[in-house]
Amino acid sequence: MTLRPGPRNLLTDVAGLRVGHAGDLGLNSGTTVVICDQPSVAAVQVLGGAPGTRETDLLEPHNSVETINALVLSGGSAFGLDAASGVQAALREQGIGFQVRDAVVPIVPAAILFDLANGGNKDWGRYPPYRDFGYEAAQNASDHFALGTAGAGIGCLTAGLKGGLGSASTVLPSGHTVSALVAVNAMGGVTVGDRGAFWAAPFEMNGEFAGVPYPQPLPADASAVRLKFRDPQPVEATTIAIIATDAALTKASAKRLAIAAHDGFSRAIWPSHTPMDGDLVFALATGAETSPVTPEDAIAFYAAAASTMARAIARGVHAATEAAGDLMPSWGRLYGQH
């Protein structure tokens, strides 16, 4: 089975999706927004023990609202949930949303990560800036967007390295595209050995995160648990992500897509899904590709969700850039010679 990345190797290789960023390097935090050009089927799966979310109950297959208008990934912990209100404001100005009699209500689920203890200046006064970030990100959403230290990835950290905003896509032989977007702020680590090899290396395409192979043999301590901080009560974590496809899926099938994408967390982050992580995956299905996912294609389709997510995680950390006041080095500073 031959797989290849899409033309951009970004979430927006799924037709009908646009991505925008906003944030502040001094604050060391930001927001990323995905806008659906047409209402899209969505679902969610949470496997971390410390999630922060908005409007996720409506995504369950048994609940009434079938489609959404946008998704938000944001820093700021619970304060970052305000970003969804900014996105709602931008969409409402355009008359986009769920029609309820004479009212238009944009449906904008959101998830947040904890980046309040990353060295940035969080003295924002009475109200945090995330609502403005959401509005700005919705306004600048486009087919192309930055990776690494951008949007929700600005303040991300992992065990020993800066985290970041990553994305990747896969085109399957069936013609369907699966793509991922992820803010990598994990409690665990994403590399193995002393040359910066990514746990996700077996899934890499076209040297997209430097092509550093696994050390052979694996180091004796490869399975050792390395955490971002060794505080008595480590709480500064969470990897939040979106897996998207142009296939036409039901909400139940979209939820299965989100579940499958969590396997990508497990292949790219060690350990993942800890009690201190709020690990979450949203799934989006635009239906732009009208041919169905056949039973024969289903295994490859859901496997691609996992491999694409693993690649996006590695790309986010690989693309992170240096900034003043960093608590941890970037992958490029430590291993950029590869």
Side-chain angles (χ1 to χ4, degrees):
M1 180 178 64
T2 302
L3 302 177
R4 58 181 174 83
R8 304 182 187 94
N9 202 17
L10 296 173
L11 185 86
T12 49
D13 285 329
V14 169
L17 300 180
R18 292 175 290 122
V19 175
H21 297 317
D24 185 323
L25 291 177
L27 178 71
N28 207 9
S29 188
T31 296
T32 295
V33 174
V34 177
I35 302 294
C36 307
D37 289 339
Q38 298 296 326
S40 297
V41 170
V44 68
Q45 179 70 13
V46 180
L47 290 184
T53 62
R54 168 172 162 162
E55 289 278 51
T56 50
D57 283 351
L58 67 81
L59 301 179
E60 292 301 328
H62 59 273
N63 288 333
S64 298
V65 175
E66 291 289 332
T67 58
I68 67 166
N69 305 109
L71 287 171
V72 174
L73 306 180
S74 186
S77 188
F79 300 105
L81 293 174
D82 274 356
S85 295
V87 179
Q88 281 189 310
L91 295 179
R92 185 171 180 269
E93 288 176 353
Q94 301 170 52
I96 295 171
F98 184 75
Q99 191 78 37
V100 185
R101 297 189 180 181
D102 295 332
V104 175
V105 182
I107 306 299
V108 186
I112 49 84
L113 55 85
F114 187 97
D115 59 2
L116 299 182
N118 63 6
N121 179 10
K122 306 303 191 294
D123 185 16
W124 52 57
R126 177 169 293 174
Y127 298 113
Y130 294 99
R131 183 174 298 194
D132 291 337
F133 288 169
Y135 185 88
E136 179 183 344
Q139 296 284 30
N140 67 37
S142 69
D143 293 342
H144 291 80
F145 56 93
L147 300 183
T149 307
I154 288 175
C156 288
L157 301 170
T158 71
L161 289 171
K162 285 191 73 170
L165 194 286
S167 192
S169 67
T170 302
V171 180
L172 284 83
S174 65
H176 296 104
T177 297
V178 174
S179 63
L181 179 75
V182 57
V184 189
N185 188 53
M187 183 64 68
V190 299
T191 60
V192 58
D194 59 4
R195 299 183 67 243
F198 286 94
W199 282 114
F203 305 106
E204 186 172 12
M205 294 185 182
N206 302 335
E208 61 194 340
F209 38 89
V212 183
Y214 270 6
Q216 295 294 331
L218 285 173
D221 65 348
S223 63
V225 175
R226 296 176 175 86
L227 300 180
K228 181 160 55 179
F229 296 121
R230 284 289 184 176
D231 297 337
Q233 293 182 317
V235 294
E236 300 85 359
T238 291
T239 298
I240 48 178
I242 298 166
I243 192 77
T245 183
D246 53 7
L249 300 180
T250 64
K251 286 175 76 176
S253 295
K255 188 171 183 71
R256 175 56 54 185
L257 186 67
I259 293 169
H262 270 288
D263 289 347
F265 283 33
S266 299
R267 295 304 300 263
I269 302 167
W270 174 251
S272 60
H273 304 130
T274 77
M276 283 72 72
D277 285 288
D279 292 349
L280 170 151
V281 177
F282 290 115
L284 271 178
T286 66
E289 173 62 53
T290 57
S291 60
V293 177
T294 67
E296 293 76 18
D297 295 333
I299 298 299
F301 179 77
Y302 289 109
S307 62
T308 307
M309 184 62 70
R311 291 165 48 218
I313 289 167
R315 291 191 81 203
V317 176
H318 177 258
T321 53
E322 299 286 298
D326 281 348
L327 298 184
M328 295 183 187
S330 68
W331 187 96
R333 178 152 75 87
L334 289 185
Y335 309 113
Q337 68 272 18
H338 299 303

